[in-house]
Amino acid sequence: MKRWIFSLCCLLASALPVASQTYEQWCERAATAIERDSLDVAEQAIRAALRLDPANGRNALLFANLGTVQRLRGRLGEALESYTYALNMAPRNVPILLDRAAILLELGEADKARIDYSLALDIQPDNTEALRMRAYIYAELQDYKSARADYDHLLRLQPVDYNGRLGLAMLCQKEGKLGDALAILDGMVDEKSEGTSMQTAPAHAVVYVARAGIQQELGNLPMALMDLEEAIRLDASRPEAYLMRGQIHLSRGKKKEARADFEKAVELGMPAADVAELLQHCK
């Protein structure tokens, strides 16, 4: 009996420091847990701080951090709710607006994301992330004039921005301005990686795939194949490179090579339904 009482007392004693932590200590514990990628601990600490002082002015940041933890854990709906709570407390906080916009995009709510990016740009007109993402959304919504305005603004601020130039090239392609698109991509391919925004092989590979798509559309199939070969050399994990190369092989009657490329694209993650009809033509 005495042993049981002693054990219970030890258990209670070990719990006391946690139960008596202050708001600031919970916040510090959450921050440390996030740095260590201990997401369960981080979420528990954030919720404890919120319960302890629900009226604290710093809770906007806590809700934003909670949203980030939930997003990392794949709970996008809960993350959206947390970011919204944060913005209810701090409606002009640009980083939180950008985080909520990113969640909305992941949830397929592009127009709502555009609104958040626009709010961020009302506060910080030169915010490059907001410009980059709103331009992408405008292009997806086929509002090409607005997309071009945002890309032009972004590239005035950061002339060698990788996503800005790539996005503008894709916009030119959608507008049918293939020569302009090719000129942008040629410039990106030809530049040296040091000191530019294209410092990794995968980044170069994406540009080669994009240029191959333009060449394919222009009917320059040998040039398209050369670009795809280089893209695969730089980054052999890109399914779209194999898909495009398979399409070109199929158009040239090389069914065996085409089938191998289509199957590789599926192996790398491309939905089988996207290539099912193409595979039928390889028989």
Side-chain angles (χ1 to χ4, degrees):
M1 181 66 175
K2 289 182 180 180
R3 178 184 292 182
W4 183 85
I5 293 173
F6 176 75
S7 298
L8 179 60
C9 289
C10 290
L11 179 62
L12 291 173
S14 66
L16 282 175
V18 173
S20 62
Q21 285 192 89
T22 66
Y23 177 91
E24 288 73 19
Q25 287 171 329
W26 281 120
C27 292
E28 289 174 7
R29 186 175 184 185
T32 300
I34 290 172
E35 288 176 3
R36 294 175 179 174
D37 203 28
S38 301
L39 301 183
D40 281 333
V41 174
E43 183 167 354
Q44 292 168 11
I46 292 169
R47 291 191 184 280
L50 291 169
R51 284 194 300 268
L52 192 62
D53 191 355
N56 194 299
R58 292 165 57 190
N59 285 349
L61 180 58
L62 281 183
F63 274 117
N65 287 337
L66 179 59
T68 298
V69 169
Q70 290 164 333
R71 182 184 182 187
L72 290 171
R73 302 181 75 181
R75 289 151 45 194
L76 300 186
E78 293 177 44
L80 177 60
E81 187 176 78
S82 294
Y83 286 133
T84 299
Y85 281 136
L87 287 168
N88 288 340
M89 304 174 74
R92 292 180 62 81
N93 187 299
V94 170
I96 301 175
L97 279 168
L98 297 180
D99 283 337
R100 188 172 72 172
I103 286 286
L104 286 165
L105 263 184
E106 287 188 66
L107 290 170
E109 300 281 358
D111 202 49
K112 290 181 180 178
R114 178 192 59 78
I115 292 171
D116 273 358
Y117 286 125
S118 295
L119 288 171
L121 288 166
D122 286 342
I123 301 164
Q124 294 180 1
D126 290 343
N127 187 288
T128 54
E129 180 181 347
L131 285 168
R132 189 180 300 116
M133 296 310 300
R134 191 174 71 171
Y136 166 78
I137 292 170
Y138 276 137
E140 290 298 299
L141 296 174
Q142 298 185 346
D143 185 350
Y144 298 148
K145 181 178 179 181
S146 297
R148 182 171 289 276
D150 277 350
Y151 279 130
D152 286 345
H153 187 171
L154 170 63
L155 292 172
R156 282 196 298 271
L157 297 170
Q158 295 186 354
V160 296
D161 183 86
Y162 172 81
N163 286 309
R165 289 183 294 166
L166 187 60
L168 183 58
M170 296 301 94
L171 176 62
C172 290
Q173 183 180 18
K174 289 179 179 181
E175 293 176 319
K177 300 175 181 178
L178 301 183
D180 291 345
L182 198 58
I184 295 169
L185 297 172
D186 283 345
M188 295 180 75
V189 165
D190 291 342
E191 70 186 14
K192 294 181 180 179
S193 62
E194 185 177 356
T196 73
S197 59
M198 248 186 16
Q199 297 181 18
T200 65
H204 282 279
V206 171
V207 176
Y208 276 106
V209 172
R211 191 170 71 169
I214 303 293
Q215 298 284 16
Q216 184 184 26
E217 196 168 339
L218 288 168
N220 299 330
L221 299 187
M223 296 296 294
L225 280 173
M226 288 176 61
D227 277 349
L228 292 170
E229 295 290 346
E230 182 62 10
I232 291 170
R233 185 189 70 80
L234 290 167
D235 182 3
S237 67
R238 306 207 65 84
E240 66 272 20
Y242 294 96
L243 176 66
M244 195 182 303
R245 190 172 70 175
Q247 290 172 326
I248 293 173
H249 284 320
L250 187 59
S251 71
R252 296 177 141 192
K254 297 182 177 181
K255 294 184 178 182
K256 182 179 178 181
E257 292 87 342
R259 172 175 285 277
D261 276 340
F262 294 146
E263 290 175 347
K264 184 66 175 180
V266 172
E267 178 187 324
L268 291 172
M270 183 159 289
D274 291 355
V275 299
E277 186 176 348
L278 291 168
L279 282 168
Q280 287 295 319
H281 291 298
C282 294
K283 292 181 178 180

